């Protein structure tokens, strides 16, 4: 089956949906989402959107905070573009009806939250459910637009490419697995946008939803797109530590409103740091890791009990209710927390319009690397980046689509769900590969790395990868197999980038190279795929 449109958007978070609504007046848009359209990383974002809206704040200060967080690796042009567009993006969302929390005394102005590394209060938020509020409005907007067709439960497997007359590779669509019908479809378009979010599931512990398996990164890489700065994985300092509830984030905004990190003796962990609990995330996460190793305790605690309970319940209703559901009343007892993988600062390398190195292929949001984040993302800069880059990519894709002819039709191969003679997937083998990768990534390629640990991870991954490739050739293909194949690519890119960076900087901390080395490493790590390979056409 062939599905044609002017634009193909893969992913339905804030980046993908923003892009879709911006190009919809100029052509038809297909959006494919591997789960339900709202089951995204965006939907879980608690903190908010960093933007200069306060009278005492300036764009220059937001720029400087972002550069300081990125520790010498931010691309200043990207930083200035994204930060500069912040206020207009917020106004646009307000115009669409996103219910941002307003100031009590000035209901026409947004309340500004505070997070680590920001010199001012500048986080626009909808209580502690900002992502959900934005996602809902964007999804409603897109669903009501006749130019946009939403395809839920559709998982992209690989990109479709062809050689242009000038010999260059052009991306013309994607092979997509329709889970309900169990068939493979060819989605063809003039331009394709990867907006699939992050890859937290490559680690054992993560704040990300189950779908964060780096799909866009992997399919872009397999087609020949370059990857940049993949060693910089952000570990959020405060993921809830509770056996019944893994993956639940305790927003940095809790520390922004006075929450204090303490050890089990009640001693504040960050007391000796000049920025205290609001130091940059890499610093706080490492301090927690050190404290856990020193004390042997499985977690530390975040204490907000000194604040008025009514304020805590009003400001953090989601966190309050969720913690209460597992028996923790955060107004009277400290919250057990641990660091967990949270955000992929690197990704597919793009310019300031979201263009990858492949003709017709764009990448926006967490799957991409614009250079905004450098070696450590500043809190709440990512939803902002997704909005701004969706807007800019939409401009560029519109222009490119006008120039490009419609791609020739290609029938999907009779593959992979109906591959006769292929064995049904062996769930136990796939689950084992998945578990193995996530464990060694956590233990060897986590917060603290070393040459030895990275070497061990590389060896193990090469074995598991070979097995997964074998499963992919010989098993019937299902969602789990596709995702683990993608996770293996993400792990590979993180390991190889981390091995290449022989220093410690930002989120990459190596025991073998504990110092920052500006002379040799004040540069991005850029990886090229020497042998792109995508699904063959029938
Ligand atoms: C948080 O609420 O702490 C997450 C915000 C972010 O990661 O930017």
């Amino acid at each position: 089956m062939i599905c044609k449109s002017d634009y193909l958007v893969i992913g339905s978070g804030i980046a993908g949906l923003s892009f879709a609504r911006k190009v919809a007046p100029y052509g038809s848009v297909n959006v494919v989402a591997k789960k339900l359209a709202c089951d995204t990383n965006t939907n879980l974002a608690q903190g908010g959107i960093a933007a200069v809206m306060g009278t005492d704040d300036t764009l220059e200060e937001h720029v400087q905070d972002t550069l300081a967080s990125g520790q010498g690796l931010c691309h200043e042009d990207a930083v200035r573009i994204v930060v500069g567009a912040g206020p207009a993006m917020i106004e646009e969302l307000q115009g669409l009806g996103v219910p941002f929390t307003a100031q009590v005394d000035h209901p026409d102005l947004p309340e500004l939250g505070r997070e680590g590394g920001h010199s001012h209060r500048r986080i626009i938020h909808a209580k502690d459910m900002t992502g959900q509020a934005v996602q809902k409005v964007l999804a409603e907007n897109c669903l009501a637009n006749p130019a946009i067709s939403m395809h839920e439960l559709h998982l992209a497997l690989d990109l479709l490419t062809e050689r242009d007359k000038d010999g260059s590779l052009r991306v013309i669509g994607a092979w997509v697995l329709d889970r309900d019908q169990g068939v493979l479809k060819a989605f063809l378009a003039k331009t394709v946008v990867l907006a699939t979010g992050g890859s937290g599931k490559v680690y054992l512990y993560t704040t990300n939803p189950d779908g964060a398996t780096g799909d866009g990164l992997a399919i872009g890489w397999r087609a020949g797109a370059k990857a940049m700065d993949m060693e910089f994985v952000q570990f959020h300092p405060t993921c809830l530590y509770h056996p019944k509830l893994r993956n639940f984030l305790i927003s940095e905004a809790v520390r922004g409103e006075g929450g204090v990190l303490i050890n089990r003796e009640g001693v504040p962990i960050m007391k000796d740091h000049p920025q205290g609990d609001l130091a940059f995330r890499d610093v706080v996460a490492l301090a927690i890791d050190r404290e856990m190793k020193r004390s042997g305790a499985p977690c530390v605690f975040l204490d907000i009990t000194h604040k008025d309970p009514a304020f805590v319940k009003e400001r953090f209703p989601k966190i309050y209710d969720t913690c209460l559901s597992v028996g923790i009343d955060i107004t009277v007892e400290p919250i057990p927390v641990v660091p967990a993988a949270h955000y992929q600062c690197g990704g597919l390398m793009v310019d300031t319009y979201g263009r990858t190195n492949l003709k017709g292929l764009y990448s926006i949001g967490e799957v991409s690397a614009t250079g905004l984040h450098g070696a450590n993302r500043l809190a709440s800069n990512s939803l902002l980046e997704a909005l701004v880059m969706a807007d800019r990519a939409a401009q560029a894709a519109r222009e490119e689509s006008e120039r490009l002819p419609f791609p020739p039709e290609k029938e999907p191969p009779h593959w992979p769900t109906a591959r006769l003679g292929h064995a049904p997937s062996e769930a136990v083998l796939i689950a084992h590969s998945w578990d193995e990768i996530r464990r060694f990534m956590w233990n060897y390629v986590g917060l603290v790395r070393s040459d030895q640990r990275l070497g061990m991870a590389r060896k193990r991954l090469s074995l598991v990868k070979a097995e997964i490739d074998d499963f992919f050739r010989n098993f019937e293909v299902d969602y789990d197999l596709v995702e683990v194949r993608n996770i293996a690519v993400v792990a590979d890119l993180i390991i190889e980038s981390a091995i290449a960076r022989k220093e410690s900087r930002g989120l990459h901390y190596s025991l073998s190279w504990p110092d920052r080395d500006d002379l040799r490493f004040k540069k991005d790590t850029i990886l090229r795929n020497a042998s792109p390979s995508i699904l063959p056409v029938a």
Side-chain angles (χ1 to χ4, degrees):
M1 181 177 181
I2 296 178
C3 306
K4 282 163 70 168
S5 58
D6 292 300
Y7 305 93
L8 171 62
V9 182
I10 303 178
S12 63
I14 186 171
L17 296 185
S18 300
F19 177 93
R21 60 173 284 274
K22 298 254 161 134
V23 291
Y26 306 92
S28 53
V29 190
N30 275 323
V31 178
V32 300
K34 71 173 174 177
K35 298 202 163 185
L36 297 179
C38 282
D39 199 350
T40 63
N41 248 1
T42 300
N43 206 42
L44 294 190
Q46 295 177 2
I49 307 174
V52 173
M53 306 290 280
T55 46
D56 64 335
D57 196 3
T58 64
L59 293 176
E60 189 56 31
E61 285 169 290
H62 189 179
V63 166
Q64 293 307 326
D65 292 346
T66 303
L67 294 175
S69 185
Q71 301 193 27
L73 290 196
C74 293
H75 296 193
E76 194 167 333
D77 56 344
V79 175
R80 291 193 180 278
I81 287 169
V82 171
V83 166
M89 290 295 137
I90 297 296
E91 279 159 25
E92 200 175 305
L93 290 180
Q94 284 171 324
L96 286 177
V98 177
F100 291 121
T101 303
Q103 294 181 20
V104 178
D105 301 338
H106 298 280
D108 50 327
L109 296 176
E111 182 183 89
L112 303 175
R114 181 156 210 181
E115 290 183 0
H118 288 276
S119 55
H120 287 274
R121 285 189 166 267
R122 63 166 76 100
I123 315 300
I124 321 298
H125 59 98
K127 299 200 172 180
D128 59 354
M129 294 167 277
T130 312
Q132 194 178 317
V134 176
Q135 176 92 42
K136 182 169 179 290
V137 167
L138 288 176
E140 282 167 3
N141 195 278
C142 287
L143 287 170
N145 191 325
I148 301 175
S149 306
M150 196 74 79
H151 303 263
E152 295 181 318
L153 302 177
H154 277 61
L155 173 61
L157 292 191
D158 261 331
L159 293 172
L160 265 156
T161 59
E162 64 165 14
R163 288 270 164 215
D164 253 2
K165 285 192 197 93
D166 62 6
S168 63
L169 208 57
R170 176 182 166 200
V171 173
I172 54 166
W175 298 120
V176 177
L177 183 59
D178 173 339
R179 192 164 85 175
D180 268 353
Q181 293 183 31
V183 292
L184 189 66
K185 299 176 177 171
F187 277 76
L188 297 177
K190 288 182 175 178
T191 51
V192 178
V193 182
L194 296 171
T196 49
S199 57
K201 294 297 280 188
V202 73
Y203 285 98
L204 195 54
Y205 302 109
T206 175
T207 61
N208 291 183
D210 284 350
T213 51
D215 303 327
L217 182 79
I219 66 179
W221 172 259
R222 281 195 289 269
K226 292 178 190 169
M228 182 171 103
D229 292 346
M230 282 298 297
E231 65 273 41
F232 298 114
V233 177
Q234 188 168 68
F235 290 81
H236 197 293
T238 58
C239 179
L240 179 68
Y241 177 72
H242 194 280
K244 286 203 192 128
L245 198 58
R246 287 162 186 266
N247 297 13
F248 185 67
L249 177 71
I250 307 295
S251 174
E252 189 154 317
V254 174
R255 277 174 286 136
E257 297 300 344
V260 180
L261 284 163
I262 55 174
N263 64 18
R264 63 182 166 190
E265 286 85 38
V267 178
I269 291 167
M270 297 305 297
K271 65 179 174 5
D272 295 328
H273 194 278
Q275 290 169 298
D277 287 281
L278 290 179
F280 290 122
R281 278 195 188 159
D282 53 333
V283 176
V284 180
L286 269 181
I288 294 176
D289 186 65
R290 264 187 220 114
E291 171 57 29
M292 284 165 51
K293 285 185 177 138
R294 183 200 66 78
S295 66
C299 65
V300 297
F301 298 90
L302 179 57
D303 189 6
I304 185 96
T305 57
H306 49 286
K307 298 292 274 195
D308 178 1
F311 166 78
V312 173
K313 288 181 201 173
E314 168 64 21
R315 175 67 180 85
F316 302 112
K318 173 101 180 171
I319 295 174
Y320 175 78
D321 287 343
T322 307
C323 288
L324 202 59
S325 75
V326 290
I328 303 167
D329 180 347
I330 68 170
T331 63
V332 296
E333 61 191 308
I335 313 164
V337 290
V338 283
H342 181 61
Y343 194 85
Q344 169 193 299
C345 293
L348 295 177
M349 188 171 118
V350 292
D351 68 7
T352 56
Y353 283 90
R355 290 183 273 240
T356 67
N357 55 303
L358 299 180
K359 199 184 281 183
L361 183 67
Y362 295 74
S363 169
I364 50 177
E366 189 170 349
V367 62
S368 68
T370 59
L372 170 74
H373 307 309
N376 181 31
R377 178 181 69 103
L378 183 65
S380 286
N381 263 357
S382 42
L383 292 184
L384 173 64
E385 183 193 43
L387 290 165
V388 177
M389 292 308 296
D391 186 61
R392 293 173 67 83
Q395 285 172 41
R398 242 161 47 206
E399 283 162 22
E400 190 174 15
S401 292
E402 273 166 25
R403 285 196 314 272
L404 289 173
F406 207 86
E409 296 200 355
K410 294 193 186 218
E411 277 297 333
H414 296 297
W415 194 104
T417 47
R419 288 187 304 164
L420 290 176
H422 284 80
S425 291
E426 273 226 69
V428 65
L429 298 184
I430 293 168
H432 183 84
S433 305
W434 189 294
D435 186 60
E436 204 175 338
I437 294 177
R438 296 182 71 202
R439 256 173 219 287
F440 69 66
M441 287 301 287
W442 183 258
N443 290 324
Y444 301 153
V445 200
L447 270 165
V448 178
R449 303 163 179 179
S450 70
D451 283 356
Q452 187 183 16
R453 292 178 195 189
L454 293 173
M456 287 163 73
R458 180 192 255 170
K459 259 196 219 149
R460 278 157 181 74
L461 183 67
S462 72
L463 288 175
V464 184
K465 249 185 123 187
E467 286 166 5
I468 293 170
D469 286 346
D470 191 51
F471 300 158
F472 200 72
R473 276 191 301 272
N474 296 309
F475 285 169
E476 204 176 276
V477 167
D478 60 13
Y479 261 41
D480 286 342
L481 181 48
V482 172
E483 288 183 338
V484 81
R485 177 177 177 240
N486 291 340
I487 276 292
V489 172
V490 176
D492 197 10
L493 294 175
I494 297 174
I495 293 168
E496 292 310 317
S497 305
I499 287 174
R501 186 168 290 281
K502 304 213 177 301
E503 64 158 358
S504 289
R505 180 191 299 266
L507 300 161
H508 173 71
Y509 178 66
S510 168
L511 295 169
S512 312
W513 308 92
D515 299 320
R516 174 166 155 172
D517 181 351
D518 272 353
L519 218 56
R520 293 193 306 152
F521 288 104
K522 196 173 173 190
K523 60 180 185 190
D524 296 311
T525 308
I526 297 171
L527 300 182
R528 291 172 185 78
N529 186 349
S531 46
S533 83
I534 51 178
L535 290 183
V537 179

